[in-house]
Amino acid sequence: MASIKTQFVIPAKMKTWSYGLMGVGIVAFLIGFFTMGMSSDPHKSATFWGTIMYNAVFFLLITNIAMFFICALTLGMSAWQIAFSRVSEAISAAMPVFGLIAGVLLIGLVVTKSHIYHWTDVDAVKHDAILTHKHGFLNAPFYILWTVASIGLWALLGARMRKMTAEADTHYLGAQEGQRFIWRKTVNAGLFLAWFAVTAGCVTPWMWLMSLDPHWYSTMYSWYIFASSFVGGLALITLFVIYLKNKGYLELTNQEHLHDLGKFLFAFSIFWTYIWFAQYMLIWYANIPEETIYFKTRIQGEFKGVFFLNLVINFVCPILILMSRPAKRNYTMMTFMAVLLLFGHWLDFYQIIMGSISVHHITLGWLDFGIAALFVGILIYTVGKALTKRPLVPKYHPFLKESIIHHT
């Protein structure tokens, strides 16, 4: 263990890229804020804040998925990911940063009664039977309470889990101490997953995203958001694992681990497609106007190209490229697919949110990519800093040996 590189040092290029991307993003934000965000034109204002919104929510959810990934595998007593678990932990450490940005933005949109959320208009609610019926759920206090509680407990429970895993760095864990360590990790993982199920798997997608179309609803919506977030989160973990391997770190991580990451990417891309098709097919078959309105604006309007490009990237490409065993063990191919799927699910969040905010206009342009650059820069910076704080390999973890000899 002493002969391998376990302490990450941030390369100069990584710092340059993070600062450069944040610089580009800040310039785009300022230009957009003064030309669109402060505009008296409701469409321009909504487009600006909607662009910030879908980026903030996307990066919040994919970084939170990293902790979900750790906790789900912990409950399954899975050892194979221990060799690179510090990558997932570092990505999850960026979640509070994006949580703060998204939380302030989302609460601000509700408090200021933005045009983005139609249900914040008191007069409109009074004269709308559907919004009046949903008012017990769609109201500012409830929205704010769940937003603060969701993000706050994600951050708290995630930090607690990361703190606990740090015990595997300090000293050898004997049989009894090792059992207690695994048991406490399992309990804390269960707490995180229970809260994740109530929030990310249920309430928050309804409030943050589905309420953009307050007359429309889908019982599969939260599953769809989870599936899209999960594939994005897996792609992010894969990218950082490959990056660290290329820099000479993670010597104990090999093609076997990469292969399993590839299997996860492939399997959950198919799961995302299953949810996509099930939601679309049931609404299309029933042909109820209150339900079809969501897809009507996306497949018959300006968003038609983006809507189907989303399907090509997130389903057709994975099933054609990642099905074979060699592709999942090839670092170049896995890098390409991870970047493609990360972009694909970012595009998915674009059409989910902007397809409701800017129904008659495709707004994808310099502002979208500029704001995305800002969030990518923040991500690189925060994950890089988190990677330096602990050894990249938890050398006293009871399951480390099993991870090292992992074969798939």
Side-chain angles (χ1 to χ4, degrees), residues 94-108:
M95 177 261 138
V97 177
F98 294 118
L100 180 63
I101 296 171
V104 170
L105 174 66
L106 292 167
I107 292 171

Side-chain angles (χ1 to χ4, degrees), residues 267-279:
F268 279 91
S269 291
I270 304 305
F271 176 73
W272 172 86
T273 309
Y274 162 71
I275 300 295
W276 184 97
F277 176 75
Q279 181 174 251

Side-chain angles (χ1 to χ4, degrees), residues 5-116:
K5 296 167 65 177
T6 60
Q7 194 60 49
F8 178 68
V9 178
I10 302 177
K13 278 191 177 181
M14 189 178 191
K15 290 182 181 179
T16 302
W17 272 101
S18 64
Y19 293 148
L21 288 169
M22 284 190 282
V24 170
I26 290 170
V27 171
F29 175 84
L30 291 174
I31 295 173
F33 179 74
F34 288 113
T35 60
M36 300 172 68
M38 296 182 69
S39 174
S40 57
D41 182 348
H43 173 70
K44 285 186 177 181
S45 177
T47 298
F48 174 76
W49 293 113
T51 301
I52 307 295
M53 178 185 174
Y54 82 78
N55 277 284
V57 173
F58 175 70
F59 282 92
L60 166 62
L61 293 181
I62 65 171
T63 51
N64 197 38
I65 282 295
M67 182 51 66
F68 171 84
F69 183 71
I70 293 169
C71 292
L73 295 184
T74 297
L75 250 63
M77 292 293 168
S78 177
W80 69 274
Q81 51 90 30
I82 299 301
F84 62 87
S85 61
R86 288 292 157 79
V87 175
S88 306
E89 290 178 22
I91 293 171
S92 74
M95 177 261 138
V97 177
F98 294 118
L100 180 63
I101 296 171
V104 170
L105 174 66
L106 292 167
I107 292 171
L109 291 174
V110 171
V111 171
T112 59
K113 299 182 179 180
S114 167
H115 290 282
I116 288 176

Side-chain angles (χ1 to χ4, degrees), residues 303-324:
F303 280 80
K304 183 177 181 179
V306 173
F307 185 76
F308 287 107
L309 176 62
N310 172 44
L311 183 63
V312 170
I313 293 174
N314 295 321
F315 169 60
V316 177
C317 291
I319 202 169
L320 292 179
I321 297 173
L322 285 180
M323 184 177 287
S324 69

Side-chain angles (χ1 to χ4, degrees), residues 209-245:
L209 306 179
M210 196 163 72
S211 71
L212 293 168
D213 296 285
H215 287 184
W216 179 79
Y217 68 91
S218 168
T219 55
M220 303 185 74
Y221 192 81
S222 291
W223 280 105
Y224 182 85
I225 298 300
F226 164 74
S228 191
S229 304
F230 192 62
V231 177
L234 287 171
L236 193 58
I237 292 169
T238 302
L239 277 178
F240 273 102
V241 167
I242 293 173
Y243 172 78
L244 290 171
K245 285 289 292 180

Side-chain angles (χ1 to χ4, degrees), residues 53 57 60 102-112 114 116-120 134-151 203-212 353:
M53 178 185 174
V57 173
L60 166 62
V104 170
L105 174 66
L106 292 167
I107 292 171
L109 291 174
V110 171
V111 171
T112 59
S114 167
I116 288 176
Y117 288 121
H118 182 59
W119 53 266
T120 59
K134 293 184 177 183
H135 183 65
F137 171 71
L138 288 181
N139 62 79
F142 191 83
Y143 183 102
I144 294 169
L145 173 65
W146 272 96
T147 298
V148 172
S150 298
I151 295 173
V203 180
T204 50
W206 297 343
M207 291 192 305
W208 293 350
L209 306 179
M210 196 163 72
S211 71
L212 293 168
I353 294 177

